[in-house]
Amino acid sequence: MANINLEETLKLITDLVSIPSPSGNTNEVITFVEKFLAELRLKTSRNRKGGLIATIEGKDSSKHRMLTAHVDTLGAMVKEVKSNGRLKIDLIGGFKYNSIEGEYCQIETSSGKKITGTILMHQTSVHVYKDAGKAERNQDNMEVRIDEKVHTAEEVRALGIEVGDFVSFDPRVEVTPGGYIKSRHLDDKASVAILLQLIKQIQTENIHLPYTTHFLISNNEEIGYGGNSNITPETVEYLAVDMGAMGDGQSTDEYTVSICVKDASGPYHYQLRKNLVRLALENKIDYKLDIYPFYGSDASAAIRSGHDIVHGLIGPGIDSSHAFERTHQSSIENTARLLNKYVQSELVL
Ligand SMILES: [Zn+2]
């Protein structure tokens, strides 16, 4: 397989992060992925929960392999229309209020109307509030300021906004001249872009995979149960492609592919991990082994839901995850190169 087209992958990441898709409202982004795969003459199907599955027949169809990445992201939902014309929100996924303070957002009403706003502390103006800096960043103090002339709950409701409307955060995506990608939702849209580019290569270069391989674009990972279904009984290996977690004491960085050896769910399959390391070494792919302390993946969710599979987790290193995320194109490239070799390798069992 030829090297990956980095430029196309970065463009795809930019396109994906720009489509709002908080867990629970992923139809638009799944439709985008569906079209991308249809153009590659690949048949796909949706599962009932709204994820997408694409299958490529391999030389051996008695044993299968599955790869997954998730398109759902963090987000919020309107919890209450406040009497001051602002919105109280409830968070979707695991993150803290301070990571969305000051963020531009979009409210999608149930009729599909989109209205913009900003997520702010109620006590933001230092000219008015003495405790602006100290007040706790929480559900009671933070609210959405809607970009419309509204001062009462009635006026907000007249716009069509109601409890249960989805709120998505502006990704503010930027690719810097030095090759950094700064954006929200790199978790896990960077990996989705890598998988889509991999599928494109397999299709356009007519690569015959050793085993029938399924690609599951999952849509409920951030809430714990994205890729834990639609796994065929023939599936031996299941690899989640999801962000590597960075921070103090972590070996993961923005330049290599992170191979997860253990997360909060326990160790990943030992032999599969060893195979991934061997593939990286043989092909001079820069990698890091790491343990993610507060993390679970679609692969561990699949094991938990009772699937007898060999499970693994790899992905690009993402700095300040679930907040102001950033990675570098070298991490994207190393992840893509390892996946290229992986889909053409022998299974563990
Ligand atoms: Zn993720």
Side-chain angles (χ1 to χ4, degrees), residues 29-77:
V29 76
I30 287 288
T31 304
F32 174 90
V33 175
E34 216 165 36
K35 278 191 191 139
F36 181 95
L37 294 174
E39 277 166 25
L40 299 172
R41 305 173 316 280
L42 201 60
K43 252 204 263 156
T44 57
S45 63
R46 287 194 192 204
N47 58 20
R48 292 189 187 91
K49 55 189 174 184
L52 195 72
I53 305 146
T55 301
I56 300 177
E57 288 300 320
K59 286 173 203 151
D60 184 346
S61 59
S62 69
K63 287 177 174 181
H64 295 186
R65 167 177 268 152
M66 192 159 193
L67 288 92
T68 186
H70 66 93
V71 279
D72 63 312
T73 71
L74 306 174
M77 206 178 239

Short mmCIF file of all heavy atoms in Angstrom, two decimals, residues 29-77:
data_model
loop_
_atom_site.label_atom_id
_atom_site.label_comp_id
_atom_site.label_asym_id
_atom_site.label_seq_id
_atom_site.Cartn_x
_atom_site.Cartn_y
_atom_site.Cartn_z
N VAL A 29 -23.53 13.67 10.53
CA VAL A 29 -22.15 13.24 10.30
C VAL A 29 -22.10 11.81 9.74
O VAL A 29 -21.28 11.49 8.88
CB VAL A 29 -21.28 13.42 11.57
CG1 VAL A 29 -21.56 12.36 12.62
CG2 VAL A 29 -19.80 13.42 11.22
N ILE A 30 -23.02 10.96 10.18
CA ILE A 30 -23.08 9.59 9.65
C ILE A 30 -23.46 9.64 8.16
O ILE A 30 -22.90 8.90 7.34
CB ILE A 30 -24.07 8.72 10.47
CG1 ILE A 30 -23.47 8.37 11.85
CG2 ILE A 30 -24.46 7.44 9.71
CD1 ILE A 30 -22.32 7.35 11.86
N THR A 31 -24.35 10.54 7.79
CA THR A 31 -24.73 10.70 6.38
C THR A 31 -23.52 11.14 5.55
O THR A 31 -23.31 10.66 4.44
CB THR A 31 -25.87 11.74 6.25
OG1 THR A 31 -26.95 11.30 7.09
CG2 THR A 31 -26.37 11.89 4.83
N PHE A 32 -22.70 12.02 6.12
CA PHE A 32 -21.48 12.46 5.44
C PHE A 32 -20.54 11.26 5.19
O PHE A 32 -20.03 11.08 4.09
CB PHE A 32 -20.78 13.53 6.31
CG PHE A 32 -19.43 13.96 5.79
CD1 PHE A 32 -19.31 15.03 4.91
CD2 PHE A 32 -18.26 13.30 6.18
CE1 PHE A 32 -18.07 15.43 4.42
CE2 PHE A 32 -17.01 13.69 5.70
CZ PHE A 32 -16.92 14.77 4.81
N VAL A 33 -20.37 10.44 6.21
CA VAL A 33 -19.48 9.27 6.10
C VAL A 33 -20.06 8.27 5.08
O VAL A 33 -19.33 7.69 4.26
CB VAL A 33 -19.27 8.59 7.48
CG1 VAL A 33 -18.45 7.31 7.34
CG2 VAL A 33 -18.59 9.55 8.45
N GLU A 34 -21.36 8.09 5.15
CA GLU A 34 -22.07 7.19 4.23
C GLU A 34 -21.80 7.59 2.77
O GLU A 34 -21.50 6.75 1.92
CB GLU A 34 -23.56 7.33 4.52
CG GLU A 34 -24.40 6.10 4.41
CD GLU A 34 -25.75 6.35 5.09
OE1 GLU A 34 -26.29 7.48 5.01
OE2 GLU A 34 -26.25 5.41 5.71
N LYS A 35 -21.90 8.89 2.49
CA LYS A 35 -21.66 9.40 1.13
C LYS A 35 -20.22 9.17 0.71
O LYS A 35 -19.94 8.77 -0.42
CB LYS A 35 -21.98 10.90 1.07
CG LYS A 35 -23.45 11.17 0.90
CD LYS A 35 -23.71 12.64 0.58
CE LYS A 35 -25.20 12.93 0.68
NZ LYS A 35 -25.48 14.21 1.33
N PHE A 36 -19.30 9.43 1.64
CA PHE A 36 -17.86 9.23 1.36
C PHE A 36 -17.62 7.78 0.93
O PHE A 36 -16.93 7.51 -0.05
CB PHE A 36 -17.06 9.57 2.62
CG PHE A 36 -15.56 9.44 2.45
CD1 PHE A 36 -14.79 10.54 2.12
CD2 PHE A 36 -14.92 8.22 2.64
CE1 PHE A 36 -13.40 10.43 1.96
CE2 PHE A 36 -13.54 8.09 2.48
CZ PHE A 36 -12.78 9.20 2.14
N LEU A 37 -18.22 6.84 1.66
CA LEU A 37 -18.01 5.42 1.37
C LEU A 37 -18.76 4.99 0.11
O LEU A 37 -18.28 4.14 -0.64
CB LEU A 37 -18.41 4.58 2.58
CG LEU A 37 -17.53 4.79 3.83
CD1 LEU A 37 -18.08 4.04 5.03
CD2 LEU A 37 -16.08 4.38 3.57
N ALA A 38 -19.92 5.60 -0.14
CA ALA A 38 -20.69 5.26 -1.35
C ALA A 38 -19.89 5.64 -2.59
O ALA A 38 -19.91 4.92 -3.59
CB ALA A 38 -22.03 5.99 -1.32
N GLU A 39 -19.17 6.76 -2.52
CA GLU A 39 -18.33 7.18 -3.64
C GLU A 39 -17.19 6.19 -3.91
O GLU A 39 -16.64 6.16 -5.00
CB GLU A 39 -17.76 8.58 -3.38
CG GLU A 39 -18.76 9.68 -3.75
CD GLU A 39 -18.38 11.05 -3.20
OE1 GLU A 39 -17.19 11.30 -2.96
OE2 GLU A 39 -19.32 11.86 -3.01
N LEU A 40 -16.86 5.40 -2.91
CA LEU A 40 -15.82 4.37 -3.08
C LEU A 40 -16.44 3.03 -3.47
O LEU A 40 -15.78 1.99 -3.40
CB LEU A 40 -15.02 4.22 -1.78
CG LEU A 40 -14.27 5.46 -1.29
CD1 LEU A 40 -13.70 5.21 0.09
CD2 LEU A 40 -13.17 5.83 -2.26
N ARG A 41 -17.70 3.06 -3.85
CA ARG A 41 -18.46 1.87 -4.26
C ARG A 41 -18.50 0.83 -3.13
O ARG A 41 -18.42 -0.37 -3.37
CB ARG A 41 -17.87 1.23 -5.53
CG ARG A 41 -17.72 2.19 -6.71
CD ARG A 41 -16.97 1.55 -7.86
NE ARG A 41 -15.78 0.80 -7.47
CZ ARG A 41 -14.60 1.37 -7.19
NH1 ARG A 41 -14.44 2.67 -7.25
NH2 ARG A 41 -13.58 0.61 -6.83
N LEU A 42 -18.61 1.32 -1.92
CA LEU A 42 -18.66 0.41 -0.78
C LEU A 42 -20.07 0.44 -0.18
O LEU A 42 -20.60 1.51 0.10
CB LEU A 42 -17.62 0.87 0.26
CG LEU A 42 -17.16 -0.17 1.26
CD1 LEU A 42 -16.51 -1.35 0.55
CD2 LEU A 42 -16.16 0.45 2.22
N LYS A 43 -20.64 -0.75 -0.03
CA LYS A 43 -21.98 -0.83 0.55
C LYS A 43 -21.87 -0.68 2.06
O LYS A 43 -20.98 -1.26 2.68
CB LYS A 43 -22.62 -2.18 0.22
CG LYS A 43 -23.73 -2.03 -0.82
CD LYS A 43 -24.72 -3.18 -0.70
CE LYS A 43 -24.36 -4.23 -1.74
NZ LYS A 43 -24.79 -5.55 -1.48
N THR A 44 -22.76 0.09 2.65
CA THR A 44 -22.74 0.25 4.10
C THR A 44 -24.14 -0.03 4.64
O THR A 44 -25.11 -0.03 3.90
CB THR A 44 -22.37 1.70 4.49
OG1 THR A 44 -23.29 2.60 3.89
CG2 THR A 44 -20.96 2.04 4.07
N SER A 45 -24.20 -0.28 5.94
CA SER A 45 -25.52 -0.40 6.56
C SER A 45 -25.47 0.31 7.90
O SER A 45 -24.41 0.44 8.52
CB SER A 45 -25.90 -1.87 6.74
OG SER A 45 -24.97 -2.48 7.61
N ARG A 46 -26.63 0.80 8.30
CA ARG A 46 -26.72 1.46 9.61
C ARG A 46 -27.27 0.48 10.62
O ARG A 46 -28.19 -0.29 10.31
CB ARG A 46 -27.67 2.66 9.52
CG ARG A 46 -27.10 3.82 8.78
CD ARG A 46 -27.94 5.06 9.04
NE ARG A 46 -27.59 6.13 8.11
CZ ARG A 46 -27.80 7.41 8.36
NH1 ARG A 46 -28.37 7.78 9.49
NH2 ARG A 46 -27.47 8.33 7.48
N ASN A 47 -26.73 0.51 11.83
CA ASN A 47 -27.37 -0.28 12.88
C ASN A 47 -28.50 0.55 13.49
O ASN A 47 -28.66 1.73 13.16
CB ASN A 47 -26.36 -0.78 13.92
CG ASN A 47 -25.57 0.34 14.59
OD1 ASN A 47 -25.99 1.50 14.57
ND2 ASN A 47 -24.45 0.00 15.19
N ARG A 48 -29.28 -0.06 14.35
CA ARG A 48 -30.47 0.64 14.84
C ARG A 48 -30.12 1.88 15.66
O ARG A 48 -30.83 2.86 15.69
CB ARG A 48 -31.34 -0.30 15.67
CG ARG A 48 -31.97 -1.38 14.82
CD ARG A 48 -32.99 -2.20 15.59
NE ARG A 48 -33.45 -3.32 14.78
CZ ARG A 48 -32.89 -4.53 14.80
NH1 ARG A 48 -31.88 -4.79 15.63
NH2 ARG A 48 -33.34 -5.49 14.01
N LYS A 49 -28.97 1.82 16.34
CA LYS A 49 -28.62 2.98 17.17
C LYS A 49 -27.98 4.09 16.34
O LYS A 49 -27.65 5.15 16.88
CB LYS A 49 -27.78 2.58 18.38
CG LYS A 49 -26.54 1.79 18.09
CD LYS A 49 -25.93 1.27 19.42
CE LYS A 49 -24.75 0.37 19.14
NZ LYS A 49 -24.19 -0.23 20.35
N GLY A 50 -27.81 3.86 15.04
CA GLY A 50 -27.39 4.95 14.17
C GLY A 50 -25.94 4.94 13.73
O GLY A 50 -25.49 5.86 13.06
N GLY A 51 -25.18 3.91 14.10
CA GLY A 51 -23.80 3.78 13.64
C GLY A 51 -23.76 3.20 12.23
O GLY A 51 -24.80 2.78 11.69
N LEU A 52 -22.57 3.19 11.63
CA LEU A 52 -22.44 2.76 10.25
C LEU A 52 -21.42 1.62 10.14
O LEU A 52 -20.35 1.68 10.75
CB LEU A 52 -21.97 3.95 9.40
CG LEU A 52 -22.11 3.82 7.90
CD1 LEU A 52 -23.58 3.91 7.50
CD2 LEU A 52 -21.33 4.94 7.20
N ILE A 53 -21.77 0.61 9.35
CA ILE A 53 -20.88 -0.54 9.18
C ILE A 53 -20.55 -0.72 7.70
O ILE A 53 -21.45 -0.73 6.86
CB ILE A 53 -21.52 -1.84 9.71
CG1 ILE A 53 -21.95 -1.65 11.17
CG2 ILE A 53 -20.55 -3.03 9.59
CD1 ILE A 53 -23.20 -2.38 11.55
N ALA A 54 -19.27 -0.85 7.39
CA ALA A 54 -18.82 -1.14 6.03
C ALA A 54 -17.98 -2.41 6.09
O ALA A 54 -17.17 -2.57 7.00
CB ALA A 54 -18.00 0.01 5.49
N THR A 55 -18.19 -3.29 5.14
CA THR A 55 -17.46 -4.56 5.15
C THR A 55 -16.69 -4.75 3.84
O THR A 55 -17.24 -4.52 2.77
CB THR A 55 -18.43 -5.74 5.36
OG1 THR A 55 -19.10 -5.52 6.62
CG2 THR A 55 -17.71 -7.07 5.40
N ILE A 56 -15.45 -5.16 3.95
CA ILE A 56 -14.64 -5.49 2.78
C ILE A 56 -14.29 -6.97 2.86
O ILE A 56 -13.71 -7.43 3.86
CB ILE A 56 -13.35 -4.62 2.73
CG1 ILE A 56 -13.73 -3.12 2.65
CG2 ILE A 56 -12.47 -5.03 1.55
CD1 ILE A 56 -12.55 -2.18 2.68
N GLU A 57 -14.69 -7.71 1.83
CA GLU A 57 -14.42 -9.15 1.80
C GLU A 57 -12.91 -9.42 1.73
O GLU A 57 -12.19 -8.73 1.01
CB GLU A 57 -15.09 -9.80 0.58
CG GLU A 57 -16.61 -9.90 0.68
CD GLU A 57 -17.09 -10.72 1.87
OE1 GLU A 57 -16.48 -11.78 2.17
OE2 GLU A 57 -18.07 -10.30 2.51
N GLY A 58 -12.47 -10.42 2.47
CA GLY A 58 -11.06 -10.78 2.44
C GLY A 58 -10.84 -12.14 1.80
O GLY A 58 -11.82 -12.80 1.42
N LYS A 59 -9.58 -12.57 1.69
CA LYS A 59 -9.27 -13.89 1.12
C LYS A 59 -9.91 -14.97 1.98
O LYS A 59 -10.44 -15.94 1.48
CB LYS A 59 -7.74 -14.10 1.08
CG LYS A 59 -7.06 -13.27 0.00
CD LYS A 59 -5.52 -13.38 0.12
CE LYS A 59 -4.87 -12.18 -0.55
NZ LYS A 59 -3.57 -11.81 0.04
N ASP A 60 -9.83 -14.81 3.28
CA ASP A 60 -10.42 -15.74 4.23
C ASP A 60 -11.67 -15.09 4.82
O ASP A 60 -11.59 -14.07 5.49
CB ASP A 60 -9.40 -16.05 5.35
CG ASP A 60 -9.90 -17.09 6.33
OD1 ASP A 60 -11.11 -17.39 6.33
OD2 ASP A 60 -9.07 -17.60 7.12
N SER A 61 -12.83 -15.71 4.54
CA SER A 61 -14.06 -15.12 5.08
C SER A 61 -14.58 -15.90 6.28
O SER A 61 -15.63 -15.61 6.83
CB SER A 61 -15.14 -15.05 3.99
OG SER A 61 -15.38 -16.35 3.51
N SER A 62 -13.79 -16.91 6.73
CA SER A 62 -14.22 -17.68 7.90
C SER A 62 -13.77 -17.01 9.20
O SER A 62 -14.30 -17.27 10.26
CB SER A 62 -13.66 -19.10 7.83
OG SER A 62 -12.26 -19.09 8.02
N LYS A 63 -12.79 -16.10 9.07
CA LYS A 63 -12.34 -15.33 10.24
C LYS A 63 -12.42 -13.85 9.88
O LYS A 63 -11.99 -13.46 8.80
CB LYS A 63 -10.89 -15.69 10.58
CG LYS A 63 -10.71 -17.06 11.19
CD LYS A 63 -9.24 -17.31 11.41
CE LYS A 63 -9.01 -18.61 12.16
NZ LYS A 63 -7.56 -18.82 12.40
N HIS A 64 -12.95 -13.07 10.81
CA HIS A 64 -13.12 -11.64 10.54
C HIS A 64 -12.27 -10.78 11.48
O HIS A 64 -11.85 -11.22 12.55
CB HIS A 64 -14.58 -11.22 10.71
CG HIS A 64 -15.50 -11.86 9.73
ND1 HIS A 64 -16.82 -11.51 9.65
CD2 HIS A 64 -15.30 -12.82 8.78
CE1 HIS A 64 -17.41 -12.23 8.71
NE2 HIS A 64 -16.51 -13.04 8.17
N ARG A 65 -12.13 -9.54 11.01
CA ARG A 65 -11.42 -8.54 11.80
C ARG A 65 -12.33 -7.32 11.81
O ARG A 65 -13.02 -7.05 10.84
CB ARG A 65 -10.10 -8.27 11.09
CG ARG A 65 -9.34 -7.08 11.54
CD ARG A 65 -8.02 -7.00 10.77
NE ARG A 65 -6.96 -7.69 11.47
CZ ARG A 65 -5.91 -8.26 10.89
NH1 ARG A 65 -5.80 -8.28 9.57
NH2 ARG A 65 -4.96 -8.82 11.60
N MET A 66 -12.31 -6.57 12.91
CA MET A 66 -13.15 -5.37 12.98
C MET A 66 -12.35 -4.19 13.50
O MET A 66 -11.55 -4.34 14.44
CB MET A 66 -14.35 -5.64 13.89
CG MET A 66 -15.43 -4.59 13.80
SD MET A 66 -16.98 -5.30 14.41
CE MET A 66 -18.15 -4.09 13.87
N LEU A 67 -12.56 -3.06 12.87
CA LEU A 67 -11.93 -1.82 13.34
C LEU A 67 -13.02 -0.79 13.59
O LEU A 67 -14.01 -0.75 12.86
CB LEU A 67 -10.96 -1.26 12.29
CG LEU A 67 -9.65 -2.03 12.10
CD1 LEU A 67 -9.83 -3.07 10.99
CD2 LEU A 67 -8.52 -1.10 11.75
N THR A 68 -12.83 0.00 14.61
CA THR A 68 -13.85 1.01 14.90
C THR A 68 -13.22 2.35 15.28
O THR A 68 -12.09 2.40 15.78
CB THR A 68 -14.79 0.53 16.04
OG1 THR A 68 -15.85 1.48 16.19
CG2 THR A 68 -14.06 0.43 17.36
N ALA A 69 -13.95 3.41 14.97
CA ALA A 69 -13.62 4.76 15.47
C ALA A 69 -14.97 5.44 15.64
O ALA A 69 -15.95 5.06 15.00
CB ALA A 69 -12.75 5.52 14.48
N HIS A 70 -15.03 6.45 16.50
CA HIS A 70 -16.36 7.04 16.77
C HIS A 70 -16.49 8.48 16.28
O HIS A 70 -15.57 9.27 16.41
CB HIS A 70 -16.72 6.92 18.26
CG HIS A 70 -15.87 7.72 19.21
ND1 HIS A 70 -16.22 8.99 19.61
CD2 HIS A 70 -14.72 7.44 19.85
CE1 HIS A 70 -15.33 9.45 20.46
NE2 HIS A 70 -14.38 8.53 20.62
N VAL A 71 -17.67 8.77 15.73
CA VAL A 71 -17.95 10.13 15.24
C VAL A 71 -18.70 10.99 16.25
O VAL A 71 -18.85 12.19 16.04
CB VAL A 71 -18.80 10.17 13.94
CG1 VAL A 71 -17.97 9.92 12.72
CG2 VAL A 71 -20.01 9.27 14.04
N ASP A 72 -19.22 10.37 17.29
CA ASP A 72 -19.94 11.20 18.27
C ASP A 72 -18.93 11.97 19.11
O ASP A 72 -17.78 11.55 19.27
CB ASP A 72 -20.86 10.35 19.16
CG ASP A 72 -20.11 9.33 20.00
OD1 ASP A 72 -19.25 8.61 19.45
OD2 ASP A 72 -20.36 9.26 21.22
N THR A 73 -19.37 13.11 19.60
CA THR A 73 -18.49 13.99 20.38
C THR A 73 -19.18 14.42 21.66
O THR A 73 -20.37 14.16 21.88
CB THR A 73 -18.14 15.27 19.60
OG1 THR A 73 -19.32 16.10 19.53
CG2 THR A 73 -17.63 14.97 18.20
N LEU A 74 -18.43 15.13 22.47
CA LEU A 74 -19.00 15.78 23.64
C LEU A 74 -19.97 16.85 23.16
O LEU A 74 -19.88 17.32 22.03
CB LEU A 74 -17.89 16.45 24.45
CG LEU A 74 -16.73 15.55 24.85
CD1 LEU A 74 -15.65 16.38 25.52
CD2 LEU A 74 -17.20 14.42 25.75
N GLY A 75 -20.87 17.24 24.02
CA GLY A 75 -21.83 18.28 23.68
C GLY A 75 -22.69 18.56 24.89
O GLY A 75 -22.28 18.29 26.03
N ALA A 76 -23.87 19.12 24.65
CA ALA A 76 -24.77 19.43 25.76
C ALA A 76 -26.21 19.42 25.26
O ALA A 76 -26.47 19.29 24.06
CB ALA A 76 -24.42 20.78 26.36
N MET A 77 -27.12 19.56 26.21
CA MET A 77 -28.54 19.59 25.90
C MET A 77 -29.18 20.69 26.73
O MET A 77 -28.74 20.95 27.85
CB MET A 77 -29.14 18.23 26.28
CG MET A 77 -30.38 17.85 25.51
SD MET A 77 -30.94 16.22 26.02
CE MET A 77 -30.86 15.37 24.45
#
